[in-house]
Amino acid sequence: MAVLERLRPDHAPALLAFERENREYFAARVPDRGDAYFEEFDDRHQELIEAQEAGEIHFHVLVAEGGEIVGRVNLVDVDAGAGSAELGYRLAEKATGRGLATRGVREVCRLAVEEYGLSRLIAVVALGNTASSAVLARAGFGAVGGVTLDDGEPGTAYELDLGELIPG
Ligand SMILES: CC(C)(COP(=O)(O)OP(=O)(O)OC[C@H]1O[C@@H](n2cnc3c(N)ncnc32)[C@H](O)[C@@H]1OP(=O)(O)O)[C@@H](O)C(=O)NCCC(=O)NCCS
């Protein structure tokens, strides 16, 4: 069973392999990361580790037996003063359909309260991304309104008051 780990420097090769192997799958659902992301992966990974150490982000990977990364669940735009952050996640295509994203999101929600001292998470989902909306619903998030995503597409904003976490 995959375990959730906080992002570390040594996750870099497995994380790059995960993003490469699933690039087409992701690009059909969320905006493609672009070639530069892959070419500059190691520099960016180091920057992420530094941002994480500064408390600006909290990144996590789902690691299968043998060290293969099969998913990631991230908190970005951490606002310690407001107690809020934005949630994002993605699974390897072969790891979907088994509740792994839901489990990972629930685990990160728990970490958000217990380890990171947050009280509220938001997430934004493109209108047609029903698999993603279902993950949020299962984790207890509620829709709070329509938004325009970074790529200009219409989406829905979701919010979770971490004081009202659904157990399990
Ligand atoms: C969004 C994404 C992570 C959802 O993955 P997923 O596998 O559908 O989500 P889960 O891991 O929660 O699994 C849910 C499925 O497992 C099934 N399942 C089995 N056991 C389960 C359990 N114990 N708990 C929950 N679901 C379970 C559910 O019935 C559901 O199946 P269905 O899709 O046939 O209805 C995945 O589609 C993805 O990576 N997409 C590309 C990136 C993306 O869109 N990210 C989100 C941007 S907002």
Side-chain angles (χ1 to χ4, degrees), residues 5-22:
E5 296 179 0
R6 186 168 167 86
L7 188 69
R8 299 188 307 260
D10 62 289
H11 284 131
L15 190 57
L16 178 56
F18 162 82
E19 291 286 351
R20 275 200 177 123
E21 280 164 24
N22 295 284

Side-chain angles (χ1 to χ4, degrees), residues 25-26 29-30 89-91 96-102 124-125 129 131-132 135 138:
Y25 172 68
F26 295 146
R29 289 157 182 80
V30 291
Y89 43 86
R90 51 180 57 194
L91 280 192
T96 58
R98 288 184 249 153
L100 182 59
T102 299
V124 292
V125 179
N129 197 343
S132 182
V135 169
R138 284 190 287 265

Side-chain angles (χ1 to χ4, degrees), residues 17-102:
F18 162 82
E19 291 286 351
R20 275 200 177 123
E21 280 164 24
N22 295 284
R23 185 173 179 180
E24 266 184 48
Y25 172 68
F26 295 146
R29 289 157 182 80
V30 291
D32 181 56
R33 295 197 187 277
D35 290 342
Y37 173 87
F38 295 92
E39 286 155 13
E40 298 155 12
F41 186 87
D42 286 339
D43 289 344
R44 185 184 145 76
H45 193 76
Q46 183 53 36
E47 285 167 17
L48 290 177
I49 297 294
E50 286 165 17
Q52 184 165 256
E53 281 167 3
E56 296 161 13
I57 60 171
H58 300 293
F59 274 28
H60 313 84
V61 287
L62 286 156
V63 184
E65 271 172 48
E68 183 186 9
I69 288 179
V70 292
R72 54 194 310 184
V73 185
N74 297 331
L75 297 176
V76 299
D77 287 343
V78 175
D79 184 335
S84 65
E86 181 173 337
L87 172 75
Y89 43 86
R90 51 180 57 194
L91 280 192
E93 183 173 13
K94 66 184 175 189
T96 58
R98 288 184 249 153
L100 182 59
T102 299

